[in-house]
Amino acid sequence: MGVIEIADSIKTMKVRGAGLIARSAAEALKQQALDYQGDDLGKLRKLLADGQRTLVDSRPTAISLWNAVQATMRGTSGAESAADLRDLVVKNADSFVARSSRAVEVIGRIGSRRIRDGDTVLTHCNSKAALGVIKAAHADGKKIKVYATESRPWRQGLLTVRDLAAAGVPSTLIIDSAVRWIMKDIDVVVVGADTVCSNGALINKVGTSQVALAAREARVPFIVCAETYKFSPKTMHGELVEIEERDASEVIDPKLLPEGVGVRNPVFDATPPELIDSIVTEIGLISPYAAYEVIVKEIGPDSLFETED
Ligand code: RI2
């Protein structure tokens, strides 16, 4: 698929999940470079610049998308021919996709050690990284049970229970508002991440902060699973993460509403670092307060000066 189709699939959530949208963006830029068979370096640069903008604009919240585009374009300003540029984009995209898939696996292995035999786990929405941890614990022979939130309005919780069922992990679906009620039966909460800010705050599916509050109240550990490319260099510049608000029709058929009643549909929220026990990354399990160092070490101080657009 080309850039336009991928961007459209991301916008309409046919392709979703912070990791998958990042990998798809890298693949889209690779395809765009491969599709250009000419030898005009300027033209290919322009095509790729337009492609980057289209992809980054498709969803505003998950920094994984922006970091994937940056990683795919790394070093390309030095390319001396269209062929050089094409080769570099292909190489960067392949290495980003491989690194991203490996990261999910490593996170699974590390995070699974925080789940004990007999634990009941709660997860919110549908995160490949969080499910990787849960499935790895099950594969290790631990007898675990999972509660999955429905995650209105898109009901990603259904994807979660389907995935768990396919892996043989016993799971139960609950409505989002049952989280505080069920927390008395939960041993550990495991969620994914769309963005981790430099101060350690987590941006994830709306409702995550309520889950974290309920977990803290019940003294249940709250663990976040996040590949390092979900950490945001932009937040180091003091930028606030834009919380995407989607169309009201995703929540309710507008025809059912009385005249003059509004509907809002924010799809992410912010969980402060003090509610997070640890973040599992592919470079190890860290405190949320180490987010700044992860950004400097893994994404690189150079990225701090490339964040202006
Ligand atoms: P992985 C999803 O967003 C959820 O918020 C999920 O926790 C996060 O991306 C990370 O998912 P959406 O695309 O990368 O459903 O771990 O809005 O799969």
Side-chain angles (χ1 to χ4, degrees):
M1 273 201 280
V3 162
I4 304 285
E5 291 96 325
I6 293 277
D8 193 58
S9 301
I10 294 174
K11 209 177 277 173
T12 54
M13 294 190 49
K14 285 187 204 93
V15 170
R16 52 148 298 280
L20 186 59
I21 63 176
R23 289 188 289 277
S24 305
E27 297 277 16
L29 287 175
K30 169 181 163 179
Q31 198 51 52
Q32 190 169 45
L34 287 172
D35 286 348
Y36 179 72
Q37 287 304 316
D39 57 8
D40 184 336
L41 176 62
K43 198 163 172 193
L44 181 53
R45 276 199 197 288
K46 166 93 175 59
L47 274 172
L48 288 166
D50 292 346
Q52 288 171 67
R53 217 165 299 118
T54 305
L55 288 163
V56 166
D57 288 348
S58 61
R59 283 194 85 186
T61 303
I63 196 68
S64 53
L65 186 54
W66 187 87
N67 276 335
V69 164
Q70 295 295 113
T72 305
M73 298 309 296
R74 187 152 300 146
T76 53
S77 55
E80 284 173 0
S81 68
D84 273 1
L85 178 53
R86 189 180 306 117
D87 290 351
L88 197 49
V89 167
V90 169
K91 194 169 132 247
N92 285 345
D94 286 345
S95 104
F96 178 82
V97 171
R99 180 186 146 203
S100 162
S101 310
R102 220 171 27 243
V104 175
E105 254 179 70
V106 176
I107 287 171
R109 258 184 278 132
I110 298 176
S112 67
R113 298 190 182 121
R114 296 301 301 269
I115 298 181
R116 296 161 308 176
D117 192 21
D119 271 358
T120 301
V121 183
L122 173 73
T123 190
H124 184 52
C125 196
N126 178 255
S127 155
K128 280 210 166 46
L131 285 174
V133 165
I134 293 168
K135 289 193 282 185
H138 172 79
D140 282 349
K142 294 176 187 167
K143 302 246 172 310
I144 56 170
K145 284 193 301 201
V146 178
Y147 279 95
T149 55
E150 183 188 21
S151 309
R152 281 269 296 146
W154 275 80
R155 296 197 162 95
Q156 288 98 327
L158 257 184
L159 302 174
T160 294
V161 291
R162 278 186 200 138
D163 191 351
L164 290 172
V169 184
S171 68
T172 305
L173 192 66
I174 55 167
I175 56 170
D176 300 323
S177 42
V179 161
R180 188 163 176 244
W181 181 83
I182 207 76
M183 199 56 82
K184 61 187 180 318
D185 299 330
I186 303 298
D187 297 299
V188 59
V189 175
V190 181
V191 298
D194 287 270
T195 293
V196 179
C197 306
S198 60
N199 69 353
L202 163 70
I203 311 296
N204 194 47
K205 183 56 55 194
V206 69
T208 301
S209 64
Q210 288 177 177
V211 177
L213 271 174
R216 176 52 50 99
E217 181 190 41
R219 297 177 175 232
V220 171
F222 182 90
I223 296 177
V224 176
C225 308
E227 303 89 312
T228 51
Y229 60 82
K230 291 177 180 166
F231 286 63
S232 167
K234 291 189 178 194
T235 57
M236 275 175 113
H237 279 196
E239 231 178 79
L240 287 172
V241 177
E242 181 186 341
I243 300 291
E244 177 183 8
E245 285 207 40
R246 296 181 64 91
D247 203 81
S249 61
E250 292 181 351
V251 175
I252 191 163
D253 178 350
K255 287 199 288 292
L256 298 173
L257 289 171
E259 181 94 19
V261 174
V263 176
R264 289 187 70 177
N265 183 20
V267 294
F268 300 102
D269 69 14
T271 300
E274 59 270 23
L275 296 181
I276 299 169
D277 286 274
S278 40
I279 305 181
V280 187
T281 74
E282 74 275 21
I283 54 163
L285 186 138
I286 62 158
S287 153
Y289 298 107
Y292 172 91
E293 284 152 64
V294 169
I295 297 169
V296 171
K297 184 166 169 283
E298 294 301 310
I299 304 177
D302 289 352
S303 70
L304 302 181
F305 304 100
E306 291 168 6
T307 57
E308 303 311 330
D309 54 347

